[in-house]
Amino acid sequence: MIRRPPRSTLFPYTTLFRPPLGAVSLEIKVNGSRSENNRFNAMIAGNIDSLYFNNYRIDSIYVNGQARDRSFEGELKVQDDNLKMDFAGKADFEGEIPVFNFTSTVEKANLVILGLEKERKVADLSLKVGANFSGDRIDNINGQIDIQNFKFVRDAKTLEIHDLMLNTSNSAEKNNITLRSDIADANINGKYLFGELDLTIRDYLQHFLPSAKLPFSDRISTGKNAFKFDIRLKKSEELGSFLIPGLIAKSPIVLTGSIDSEKKTLALDGNIDELLFNQYQVRGLTINSRNIGDKWLMRIGANDALLGGSLAVENFSVNNTLVRDSLTTAFTWNNNSVPTSSGRVDFLGVFSRNIEGKSLADFYLRPSKIWLTDSLWQIEKSHLHIDTTSIAIDNFSIHH
């Protein structure tokens, strides 16, 4: 049995999560033992007078619970000027999969002072969380996380979520995520590996553009993504303006579809009622994706758009067909109002590689006619060639 003296000197300190901690000064009682295989097990209780985190001194910490080599069960309270919080429950890293069962209230966390936010002048967080789950990443989490009264103030912007419930279940055969909150709902079902979602997108694009040089990682995929999703943002105005200053996305935003990395298919239906960014406005925005045989069809459309505060277009669409190194694209719009503004612009893109294996791209613009405020403009047939060292344009001409 070990009993340590009540006052400790300063010493380097690490925890289960290994955050950037420095010296710590404490007055604490430890009653425990260390086994023959060097495993630690003790009851600890007392006050930590100060602890350095990211070179900031956190004061007034109380701890009471059972600590092992890689687990803690008990309570923790912090009453610092820039971090006020409490924790009660268990965090267990003893097994291969971590286990958590706790409640915690963060009354105040100044992320700037704590060194967790380095780009903003103000970043304050408060929330209440209850968690009962196992896992260390979204792909293997099983359990539930409940968040209430979440408030994040960043400079002059505030994001609030009153209630959020996340349920996950993951097995070797199937994954499931259910999210319910006042800001968004989501259902994801199937087999997912989100850590390799970028590889799934890479392989999907590479399937249709085998000759293109795509800016993706060359990591090898170790699993598959084959799942359905239904995502609905209910307070997208708040979320959009918080994440991107000047962006207003009117609720609701709906995204539904499915993806299969083995079959190389992507089905997607999305719609946004209205999107505003500075002097740009789009209403009735839709995006659709389908696979038919060896073709990938994707369409982006809008009922109307105001570009730069002056140019207005209606019934706008971009239709794309992609099949093995060949991209056919058509831009169309047709205003029903006066003055007339309509047009159609078509081009064909062909991707290839030269004898050295370097990627080439050729875009062929077809003759087109455009009406702008009752004036007819004509675009002549032209050719754009892109290789690794140069860009060449042949015969491009637009005249009134």
Side-chain angles (χ1 to χ4, degrees):
M1 195 72 68
I2 300 174
R3 290 188 182 273
R4 296 202 174 177
R7 173 65 64 178
S8 165
T9 58
L10 295 175
F11 63 93
Y13 190 82
T14 58
T15 69
L16 295 171
F17 299 96
R18 300 189 182 275
L21 297 180
V24 56
S25 176
L26 52 82
E27 183 175 349
I28 200 166
K29 291 183 179 180
V30 180
N31 186 353
S33 62
R34 186 174 292 278
S35 64
E36 292 181 358
N37 58 2
N38 210 31
R39 294 181 64 84
F40 177 73
N41 183 7
M43 297 297 298
I44 59 175
N47 296 305
I48 301 175
D49 298 328
S50 65
L51 178 150
Y52 282 85
F53 178 89
N54 274 331
N55 297 318
Y56 171 74
R57 172 175 165 162
I58 300 176
D59 296 322
S60 303
I61 304 171
Y62 172 77
V63 61
N64 182 21
Q66 183 177 26
R68 295 185 176 91
D69 275 359
R70 291 174 55 79
S71 71
F72 174 79
E73 184 170 4
E75 59 179 328
L76 174 73
K77 294 183 180 180
V78 182
Q79 289 297 313
D80 183 81
D81 290 341
N82 292 292
L83 178 61
K84 297 183 185 296
M85 64 164 291
D86 63 64
F87 170 96
K90 177 176 69 173
D92 186 352
F93 291 82
E94 295 285 348
E96 183 178 348
I97 302 296
V99 177
F100 304 89
N101 188 356
F102 65 87
T103 60
S104 179
T105 299
V106 179
E107 182 181 337
K108 177 184 179 181
N110 187 328
L111 304 185
V112 174
I113 297 296
L114 295 173
L116 299 175
E117 171 59 69
K118 301 184 183 301
E119 298 181 358
R120 308 283 178 169
K121 293 182 178 180
V122 176
D124 294 332
L125 175 68
S126 62
L127 75 156
K128 182 178 181 180
V129 58
N132 186 3
F133 69 92
S134 62
D136 56 3
R137 61 184 189 276
I138 191 64
D139 296 329
N140 69 357
I141 287 179
N142 282 288
Q144 181 171 316
I145 300 173
D146 295 309
I147 297 176
Q148 296 179 330
N149 301 325
F150 174 95
K151 185 176 182 179
F152 188 20
V153 179
R154 192 174 63 183
D155 291 338
K157 298 288 186 178
T158 300
L159 177 64
E160 292 187 86
I161 304 175
H162 299 294
D163 292 285
L164 183 149
M165 181 183 68
L166 177 67
N167 276 291
T168 64
S169 61
N170 293 288
S171 66
E173 295 76 27
K174 188 176 181 181
N175 309 94
N176 173 265
I177 294 176
T178 301
L179 173 70
R180 295 291 181 267
S181 74
D182 55 298
I183 197 168
D185 293 337
N187 293 291
I188 302 176
N189 299 284
K191 190 62 186 173
Y192 53 71
L193 193 59
F194 290 132
E196 294 189 0
L197 192 56
D198 62 324
L199 305 184
T200 296
I201 296 172
R202 177 201 66 188
D203 294 344
Y204 179 79
L205 294 174
Q206 202 76 63
H207 175 74
F208 294 98
L209 296 170
S211 296
K213 179 65 175 178
L214 301 176
F216 288 98
S217 168
D218 57 0
R219 296 175 7 242
I220 302 298
S221 178
T222 61
K224 72 173 184 177
N225 278 298
F227 59 86
K228 296 180 179 179
F229 56 89
D230 186 330
I231 302 170
R232 300 171 187 269
L233 302 182
K234 298 184 287 186
K235 290 185 179 179
S236 51
E237 297 92 341
E238 298 178 17
L239 189 60
S241 62
F242 183 82
L243 296 175
I244 304 175
L247 177 66
I248 300 176
K250 296 292 183 70
S251 301
I253 296 178
V254 179
L255 292 172
T256 61
S258 63
I259 189 169
D260 193 312
S261 59
E262 293 183 343
K263 296 180 180 180
K264 300 296 187 293
T265 58
L266 171 62
L268 173 66
D269 293 298
N271 63 76
I272 304 175
D273 288 342
E274 188 173 5
L275 190 65
L276 300 96
F277 184 71
N278 296 334
Q279 296 186 27
Y280 296 88
Q281 179 185 28
V282 180
R283 294 190 296 185
L285 180 65
T286 61
I287 180 170
N288 308 97
S289 170
R290 292 292 186 274
N291 296 97
I292 299 178
D294 59 351
K295 296 180 180 180
W296 177 25
L297 310 178
M298 185 174 68
R299 180 185 184 276
I300 300 173
N303 293 340
D304 56 73
L306 183 63
L307 309 178
S310 58
L311 179 61
V313 296
E314 299 176 9
N315 304 311
F316 175 79
S317 68
V318 183
N319 292 277
N320 302 277
T321 301
L322 192 57
V323 53
R324 194 164 183 82
D325 280 337
S326 177
L327 170 66
T328 302
T329 298
F331 296 86
T332 62
W333 66 96
N334 184 11
N335 288 17
N336 295 319
S337 57
V338 177
T340 301
S341 180
S342 64
R344 179 184 177 99
V345 178
D346 296 88
F347 73 82
L348 170 67
V350 178
F351 301 87
S352 60
R353 291 182 182 268
N354 60 19
I355 57 175
E356 298 175 346
K358 296 181 179 180
S359 296
L360 308 175
D362 291 275
F363 296 93
Y364 301 90
L365 183 63
R366 294 167 180 166
S368 307
K369 295 181 178 182
I370 299 174
W371 286 89
L372 294 175
T373 60
D374 289 333
S375 297
L376 176 63
W377 294 78
Q378 296 190 75
I379 302 175
E380 301 300 334
K381 179 180 178 181
S382 60
H383 171 223
L384 170 67
H385 174 78
I386 303 175
D387 59 31
T388 56
T389 60
S390 63
I391 298 176
I393 301 175
D394 296 327
N395 301 323
F396 179 76
S397 174
I398 180 169
H399 55 85
H400 177 37

